[in-house]
Coordinates of all heavy atoms in Angstrom, one line a residue:
M1 N -20.8 17.1 -14.7 CA -21.0 15.8 -14.2 C -20.2 14.7 -14.9 O -20.1 13.7 -14.5 CB -22.5 15.5 -14.0 CG -22.8 14.4 -13.0 SD -22.3 14.9 -11.4 CE -22.2 13.3 -10.5
I2 N -19.8 15.1 -16.2 CA -19.1 14.1 -17.0 C -17.6 14.1 -16.7 O -17.0 13.1 -17.0 CB -19.4 14.6 -18.5 CG1 -18.8 13.4 -19.4 CG2 -18.5 15.7 -18.8 CD1 -19.9 12.5 -19.8
W3 N -17.1 15.1 -16.0 CA -15.7 15.0 -15.7 C -15.3 13.9 -14.8 O -14.1 13.3 -15.1 CB -15.3 16.4 -15.1 CG -15.3 17.5 -16.2 CD1 -16.1 18.5 -16.3 CD2 -14.4 17.6 -17.3 NE1 -15.8 19.3 -17.3 CE2 -14.8 18.7 -18.0 CE3 -13.4 16.8 -17.9 CZ2 -14.2 19.1 -19.3 CZ3 -12.7 17.2 -19.0 CH2 -13.1 18.3 -19.7
P4 N -15.9 13.6 -13.8 CA -15.5 12.5 -12.9 C -15.5 11.1 -13.7 O -14.5 10.4 -13.6 CB -16.5 12.4 -11.8 CG -17.0 13.8 -11.7 CD -17.0 14.3 -13.1
L5 N -16.4 11.0 -14.7 CA -16.4 9.8 -15.5 C -15.2 9.8 -16.4 O -14.5 8.7 -16.5 CB -17.7 9.8 -16.3 CG -18.0 8.6 -17.1 CD1 -18.2 7.3 -16.2 CD2 -19.2 8.7 -18.0
I6 N -14.9 10.9 -17.0 CA -13.7 11.0 -18.0 C -12.4 10.6 -17.2 O -11.6 9.9 -17.6 CB -13.7 12.3 -18.7 CG1 -14.8 12.5 -19.5 CG2 -12.3 12.5 -19.4 CD1 -14.9 14.0 -20.2
S7 N -12.2 11.3 -16.0 CA -11.0 11.1 -15.3 C -10.9 9.6 -14.8 O -9.9 9.1 -14.8 CB -11.0 12.0 -14.0 OG -12.0 11.8 -13.3
L8 N -12.0 9.0 -14.5 CA -12.1 7.6 -14.0 C -11.6 6.7 -15.1 O -10.8 5.8 -15.0 CB -13.5 7.3 -13.6 CG -13.7 5.9 -13.0 CD1 -12.9 5.8 -11.6 CD2 -15.1 5.5 -12.8
V9 N -12.2 7.0 -16.4 CA -11.7 6.2 -17.6 C -10.2 6.3 -17.8 O -9.5 5.3 -18.1 CB -12.6 6.6 -18.8 CG1 -11.9 6.0 -20.0 CG2 -14.0 6.2 -18.6
I10 N -9.7 7.6 -17.7 CA -8.4 7.8 -17.9 C -7.5 7.0 -16.9 O -6.5 6.4 -17.3 CB -8.0 9.3 -18.0 CG1 -8.7 10.0 -19.2 CG2 -6.5 9.5 -17.9 CD1 -8.5 11.5 -19.1
F11 N -7.8 7.1 -15.7 CA -7.1 6.4 -14.6 C -7.2 4.9 -14.9 O -6.2 4.2 -14.7 CB -7.8 6.7 -13.2 CG -7.2 8.0 -12.7 CD1 -7.9 9.0 -12.2 CD2 -5.8 8.2 -12.6 CE1 -7.5 10.2 -11.7 CE2 -5.2 9.3 -12.0 CZ -6.1 10.3 -11.6
A12 N -8.3 4.4 -15.4 CA -8.4 2.9 -15.6 C -7.5 2.5 -16.8 O -6.8 1.5 -16.7 CB -9.9 2.6 -16.0
I13 N -7.4 3.3 -17.8 CA -6.5 3.0 -18.9 C -5.1 3.0 -18.4 O -4.4 2.1 -18.7 CB -6.7 4.0 -20.0 CG1 -8.1 3.8 -20.6 CG2 -5.7 3.9 -21.0 CD1 -8.5 4.9 -21.6
I14 N -4.7 4.0 -17.6 CA -3.4 4.0 -17.1 C -3.0 2.8 -16.2 O -1.9 2.2 -16.3 CB -3.1 5.4 -16.3 CG1 -3.2 6.5 -17.3 CG2 -1.8 5.3 -15.5 CD1 -3.1 7.9 -16.5
G15 N -4.0 2.5 -15.3 CA -3.8 1.3 -14.4 C -3.7 0.0 -15.2 O -2.8 -0.8 -14.9
I16 N -4.5 -0.2 -16.2 CA -4.5 -1.4 -17.0 C -3.1 -1.5 -17.7 O -2.5 -2.5 -17.8 CB -5.6 -1.5 -18.1 CG1 -6.9 -1.7 -17.2 CG2 -5.4 -2.6 -19.0 CD1 -8.1 -1.5 -18.1
A17 N -2.6 -0.4 -18.2 CA -1.4 -0.3 -19.0 C -0.3 -0.6 -18.0 O 0.7 -1.3 -18.4 CB -1.1 1.0 -19.7
T18 N -0.3 -0.1 -16.8 CA 0.7 -0.4 -15.8 C 0.8 -1.8 -15.4 O 1.9 -2.5 -15.3 CB 0.5 0.5 -14.6 OG1 0.4 1.8 -15.0 CG2 1.6 0.3 -13.5
V19 N -0.3 -2.5 -15.2 CA -0.4 -3.9 -14.8 C 0.1 -4.7 -16.0 O 0.9 -5.6 -15.7 CB -1.9 -4.2 -14.5 CG1 -2.1 -5.8 -14.4 CG2 -2.4 -3.6 -13.3
K20 N -0.2 -4.3 -17.2 CA 0.3 -5.1 -18.4 C 1.8 -5.0 -18.4 O 2.5 -6.0 -18.7 CB -0.3 -4.5 -19.6 CG -0.2 -5.4 -20.8 CD -1.0 -4.9 -22.0 CE -2.5 -4.7 -21.7 NZ -3.1 -4.3 -23.0
D21 N 2.4 -3.7 -18.2 CA 3.9 -3.7 -18.2 C 4.5 -4.4 -17.0 O 5.6 -5.0 -17.2 CB 4.1 -2.1 -18.0 CG 3.9 -1.3 -19.3 OD1 3.9 -2.0 -20.3 OD2 3.9 -0.1 -19.1
I22 N 3.9 -4.5 -15.9 CA 4.4 -5.2 -14.8 C 4.5 -6.7 -15.1 O 5.4 -7.4 -14.8 CB 3.6 -5.0 -13.5 CG1 3.9 -3.5 -13.1 CG2 4.0 -6.0 -12.4 CD1 2.9 -3.1 -11.9
R23 N 3.4 -7.2 -15.7 CA 3.4 -8.6 -16.1 C 4.4 -8.9 -17.1 O 5.1 -9.9 -17.0 CB 2.0 -8.9 -16.8 CG 0.9 -9.2 -15.7 CD -0.4 -9.5 -16.5 NE -1.5 -9.9 -15.5 CZ -2.7 -10.1 -15.8 NH1 -3.1 -10.0 -17.1 NH2 -3.6 -10.5 -15.0
V24 N 4.6 -8.1 -18.1 CA 5.7 -8.2 -19.1 C 7.0 -8.2 -18.5 O 7.9 -9.1 -18.7 CB 5.6 -7.3 -20.3 CG1 6.8 -7.3 -21.1 CG2 4.3 -7.5 -21.0
A25 N 7.3 -7.3 -17.6 CA 8.5 -7.2 -16.9 C 8.8 -8.4 -16.0 O 9.9 -8.9 -16.0 CB 8.5 -6.0 -16.0
R26 N 7.8 -8.9 -15.3 CA 8.1 -10.1 -14.6 C 8.3 -11.4 -15.6 O 9.1 -12.2 -15.2 CB 6.7 -10.4 -13.8 CG 6.7 -9.6 -12.6 CD 5.7 -10.2 -11.5 NE 5.5 -9.3 -10.4 CZ 4.3 -9.3 -9.7 NH1 3.2 -9.9 -10.1 NH2 4.3 -8.4 -8.7
R27 N 7.6 -11.4 -16.5 CA 7.9 -12.6 -17.5 C 9.3 -12.5 -18.1 O 9.9 -13.5 -18.3 CB 6.9 -12.4 -18.6 CG 6.9 -13.7 -19.5 CD 5.9 -13.5 -20.7 NE 6.4 -12.4 -21.6 CZ 5.6 -11.8 -22.5 NH1 4.3 -12.1 -22.6 NH2 6.1 -10.8 -23.2
D28 N 9.8 -11.3 -18.4 CA 11.1 -11.2 -18.9 C 12.2 -11.1 -17.8 O 13.4 -11.0 -18.2 CB 11.2 -9.9 -19.8 CG 10.3 -10.0 -21.0 OD1 9.9 -11.1 -21.4 OD2 10.1 -9.0 -21.7
K29 N 11.7 -11.1 -16.5 CA 12.6 -11.1 -15.5 C 13.5 -9.9 -15.5 O 14.7 -10.0 -15.4 CB 13.5 -12.5 -15.4 CG 12.6 -13.7 -15.1 CD 13.4 -14.6 -14.2 CE 12.6 -15.8 -13.8 NZ 11.3 -16.0 -14.4
R30 N 12.9 -8.7 -15.7 CA 13.7 -7.5 -15.7 C 13.1 -6.5 -14.9 O 11.9 -6.7 -14.5 CB 13.9 -7.0 -17.2 CG 12.7 -6.6 -17.9 CD 12.9 -6.1 -19.3 NE 11.7 -6.0 -20.1 CZ 10.8 -5.1 -20.0 NH1 11.0 -4.0 -19.2 NH2 9.7 -5.0 -20.7
E31 N 13.7 -5.4 -14.7 CA 13.1 -4.3 -13.7 C 12.1 -3.5 -14.5 O 12.2 -3.3 -15.7 CB 14.2 -3.4 -13.2 CG 15.2 -4.1 -12.3 CD 14.5 -4.5 -11.1 OE1 13.7 -3.8 -10.5 OE2 14.9 -5.6 -10.6
L32 N 11.1 -3.0 -13.9 CA 10.0 -2.2 -14.5 C 10.6 -0.8 -14.8 O 10.3 -0.3 -15.8 CB 8.9 -2.0 -13.4 CG 7.6 -1.4 -14.1 CD1 7.0 -2.1 -15.2 CD2 6.5 -1.1 -13.0
V33 N 11.5 -0.3 -14.0 CA 12.1 1.0 -14.2 C 13.3 0.8 -15.1 O 13.4 1.5 -16.1 CB 12.6 1.7 -12.9 CG1 13.1 3.0 -13.2 CG2 11.5 1.7 -11.9

């Protein structure tokens, strides 16, 4: 029963990191890729 929780935490970390990268890219006015 712990696996869904672990995967949820991992997805949350990836999502937060992606949002942070998008914000930095927008601030620097450059492409994300």
